[in-house]
Amino acid sequence: MGTGRVALVLLLATALLQALLAAPAEGLVRIPLKKRPADGNGGLHDARRRGFLGGSSNAAAAALNKAEAEEEGDIVALKNYLNAQYYGEIGIGTPQQRFTVIFDTGSSNLWVPSSKCYLSMACYFHERYKAGQSNSYKKNGKPASIRYGTGAISGYFSLDSVKIGDVVVSNQDFIEATREPGITFMVAKFDGILGLGFKEISVGAAVPVWYNMVKQGLVDDPVFSFWFNRHAGEGQGGEIVFGGIDPNHYKGNHTYVPVTRKGYWQFDMGDVLIGGKSTGFCASGCAAIADSGTSLLTGPTAIITQINEKIGAAGVVSQECKAVVSQYGQRIIDQLLAETHPSKICSSVGLCTFDGAHGVSAGIRSVVDDEAGESNGLFNEAMCNACEMAVVWIQNQLAQNQTQDLVLQYINQTGSTLQLCERLPSPMGESSVDCNRVASMPDIAFTIGGRKFTLKPEQYILKEGEGPAAQCISGFTAMDIPPPRGPLWILGDIFMGAYHTVFDYGNLKVGFAEAA
């Protein structure tokens, strides 16, 4: 959920956090992340719009039971929705005010709703920080705002102590959110976000919580690790360990790759394989990030479309997509064959303007648009996006030596919908699959550090419900990030659920091992 990330999938889940448990050893903080199963309130789309205790003595067990009994008074027994989100509890201030937050490796700021948030309904559905009730509060007041893919917050910085597990970070900058517009955060079951990315992407140049944990000597080793339990109803939901690694939650050895760009936890990734066969898409290398704040796995439209086609996933068919491929398909092919740069094609056919790097919407919001309550600019933006997706797909088909006749035949097949539009995943949308076909779907593998990390169908398909009422969606969704930062893959909870992930801050590397 990195700052400024365009069209990032922020999946809001109905998850509950168990209270933070004390560490069994000094300098090691383990935080159990509690999941909650599907609650049936709202559909699949609504839910998506984003400890390990040592000792076995009777005394230790009694202490644990006592602690759990005490914590139950503060916990609402909610359910987990498709393993779509994991979040934990922290405390801010003295005395401690409790908040549930996403521990997000794709951003770097800590924010929670403020008691001075009056105009956003979202704030009234969550816990709000009350500065006047904290003895350790210090005023800052510098304004701040963060935009995520499906929502934004704004407010101002404050300074206070932050408790994570059994340690207290002193003098921590965080944002009191006074505005949380839209429905995204209103339906969220978490209160805020605690970023675990690098300071390079921290809004307001605020020092991230993790940096202060290390600087203040609160952890023995500058390492933290994630384990997500993907089996609903089987024990705790997951675990984040600050200062170490829990050997109970992985098999074999970790494969480490160096961080190539500080900001997100970014590293180099190699070829992507479908059913054991190379796609060649990242054979010369792609950039990827491990992101605990994204539930799905995102990648460039060209390869995501190819994956979804192989697994039989149907995308979100839109009128804009159908209009583009039926009216402009031949012109797009002609310009690609004439070696027109792909980024200029949609502007040349009049659906986008060209900003010097890529197409942008040609729509201009006018007084008439505002009075009508509908913006032609929004329609034009949708047409522009549909055109750019079509260009990428057609370019990919031609690169595979498909003739233009075959390409046109495919995108104009008879039927109620155009086949291309069925396969193209919408940037923020999902691609549905037949639950009965999951067992026959191919494995999808990613090459990292010379090793193939394979996702089986049951790992990359998200399923809601059972029997005839079950709904299944592909865990792959499209997002095109242009050079120099892209193409960029975001390996979210689907990948991190299959592979225990270590974030080694001291040696600037990321490690993956099979989750246990």
Side-chain angles (χ1 to χ4, degrees):
M1 287 189 340
T3 304
R5 203 179 301 169
V6 178
L8 177 64
V9 181
L10 171 62
L11 305 181
L12 308 186
T14 50
L16 172 70
L17 267 148
Q18 200 169 25
L20 307 178
L21 299 182
E26 182 179 356
L28 185 65
V29 183
R30 292 187 170 97
I31 300 177
L33 306 176
K34 182 145 184 174
K35 303 185 303 181
R36 48 184 175 184
D39 60 6
N41 295 325
L44 192 62
H45 300 286
D46 294 336
R48 200 170 286 104
R49 296 284 180 228
R50 357 192 175 6
F52 175 78
L53 293 174
S56 58
S57 67
N58 291 335
L64 173 58
N65 291 335
K66 180 177 182 295
E68 289 180 336
E70 291 173 347
E71 291 164 355
E72 283 299 327
D74 297 329
I75 295 178
V76 177
L78 301 177
K79 300 176 182 179
N80 173 32
Y81 197 76
L82 295 173
N83 298 324
Q85 197 60 271
Y86 301 83
Y87 54 97
E89 188 173 87
I90 65 171
I92 301 179
T94 310
Q96 181 183 165
Q97 299 174 42
R98 289 188 170 190
F99 300 92
T100 54
V101 297
I102 293 176
F103 290 91
D104 178 24
T105 58
S107 65
S108 298
N109 291 87
L110 167 61
W111 68 263
V112 295
S114 172
S115 61
K116 295 182 180 180
C117 179
Y118 304 119
L119 301 178
S120 296
M121 285 297 297
C123 293
Y124 293 93
F125 287 85
H126 298 93
E127 294 297 324
R128 293 186 286 172
Y129 172 76
K130 303 173 182 64
Q133 295 183 10
S134 174
N135 298 327
S136 49
Y137 161 76
K138 294 179 183 177
K139 183 178 180 180
N140 181 313
K142 185 169 112 177
S145 63
I146 303 178
R147 178 168 295 279
Y148 299 100
T150 55
I153 64 100
S154 60
Y156 55 87
F157 280 102
S158 290
L159 200 72
D160 210 332
S161 61
V162 176
K163 185 174 182 181
I164 302 176
D166 202 37
V167 302
V168 177
V169 181
S170 58
N171 297 315
Q172 176 62 50
D173 282 312
F174 69 100
I175 299 172
E176 287 193 53
T178 56
R179 284 187 61 81
E180 297 179 33
I183 196 173
T184 298
F185 293 113
M186 185 169 69
V187 300
K189 303 303 178 183
F190 56 85
D191 301 316
I193 293 173
L194 192 155
L196 292 170
F198 291 92
K199 64 181 179 182
E200 279 78 1
I201 58 172
S202 177
V203 169
V207 178
V209 174
W210 168 248
Y211 279 61
N212 279 329
M213 290 180 73
V214 174
K215 183 179 179 180
Q216 295 174 21
L218 302 177
V219 293
D220 286 341
D221 297 313
V223 170
F224 60 90
S225 56
F226 277 86
W227 168 70
F228 291 144
N229 188 353
R230 302 297 282 181
H231 301 287
E234 296 181 12
Q236 69 191 59
E239 179 182 273
I240 176 172
V241 180
F242 287 103
I245 304 170
D246 189 339
N248 293 304
H249 292 314
Y250 67 91
K251 303 174 184 177
N253 298 318
H254 288 83
T255 296
Y256 285 92
V257 287
V259 172
T260 56
R261 185 170 184 173
K262 292 170 68 177
Y264 308 125
W265 287 85
Q266 183 172 321
F267 54 91
D268 287 335
M269 187 180 80
D271 198 8
V272 179
L273 298 90
I274 303 175
K277 296 181 179 179
S278 169
T279 62
F281 189 84
C282 289
S284 58
C286 284
I289 66 173
D291 186 356
S292 60
T294 297
S295 295
L296 301 184
L297 197 156
T298 79
T301 300
I303 185 64
I304 294 297
T305 301
Q306 193 176 143
I307 290 173
N308 280 338
E309 184 175 20
K310 293 295 184 182
I311 68 177
V316 180
V317 181
S318 68
Q319 290 299 120
E320 293 83 6
C321 175
K322 292 165 68 175
V324 166
V325 297
S326 62
Q327 297 177 39
Y328 299 96
Q330 184 63 61
R331 293 174 64 181
I332 291 173
I333 290 177
D334 291 343
Q335 294 205 34
L336 284 171
L337 293 176
E339 299 185 353
T340 301
H341 196 282
S343 63
K344 297 181 179 180
I345 291 177
C346 292
S347 60
S348 71
V349 299
L351 294 178
C352 302
T353 58
F354 187 68
D355 67 357
H358 53 82
V360 297
S361 172
I364 300 175
R365 193 174 183 88
S366 68
V367 175
V368 174
D369 295 327
D370 291 333
E371 290 178 348
E374 295 287 337
S375 173
N376 289 329
L378 294 177
F379 173 77
N380 289 337
E381 182 177 356
M383 292 289 284
C384 176
N385 290 337
C387 178
E388 290 186 333
M389 287 194 295
V391 168
V392 171
W393 185 86
I394 293 173
Q395 180 187 22
N396 185 52
Q397 294 302 304
L398 293 176
Q400 296 178 37
N401 295 321
Q402 298 284 357
T403 67
Q404 60 174 313
D405 288 341
L406 286 176
V407 173
L408 282 175
Q409 180 182 352
Y410 181 80
I411 66 177
N412 286 301
Q413 282 182 24
T414 59
S416 60
T417 60
L418 296 174
Q419 297 300 307
L420 172 60
C421 295
E422 289 183 346
R423 298 308 181 200
L424 277 175
S426 62
M428 293 288 291
E430 301 79 32
S431 299
S432 62
V433 297
D434 183 351
C435 293
N436 295 321
R437 295 189 62 253
V438 172
S440 63
M441 294 177 185
D443 293 345
I444 309 296
F446 301 87
T447 308
I448 302 173
R451 175 184 166 191
K452 292 181 177 61
F453 290 83
T454 300
L455 293 177
K456 297 185 178 299
E458 59 269 23
Q459 293 174 312
Y460 64 71
I461 296 297
L462 283 78
K463 184 178 180 181
E464 175 194 6
E466 297 295 336
Q471 299 180 43
C472 293
I473 69 162
S474 166
F476 300 98
T477 189
M479 182 173 66
D480 292 305
I481 300 176
R485 182 171 284 276
L488 182 67
W489 288 80
I490 300 176
L491 307 185
D493 295 350
I494 280 181
F495 187 86
M496 291 177 62
Y499 294 98
H500 180 269
T501 308
V502 177
F503 297 84
D504 190 334
Y505 173 75
N507 295 300
L508 291 179
K509 61 183 182 180
V510 184
F512 303 99
E514 183 182 354

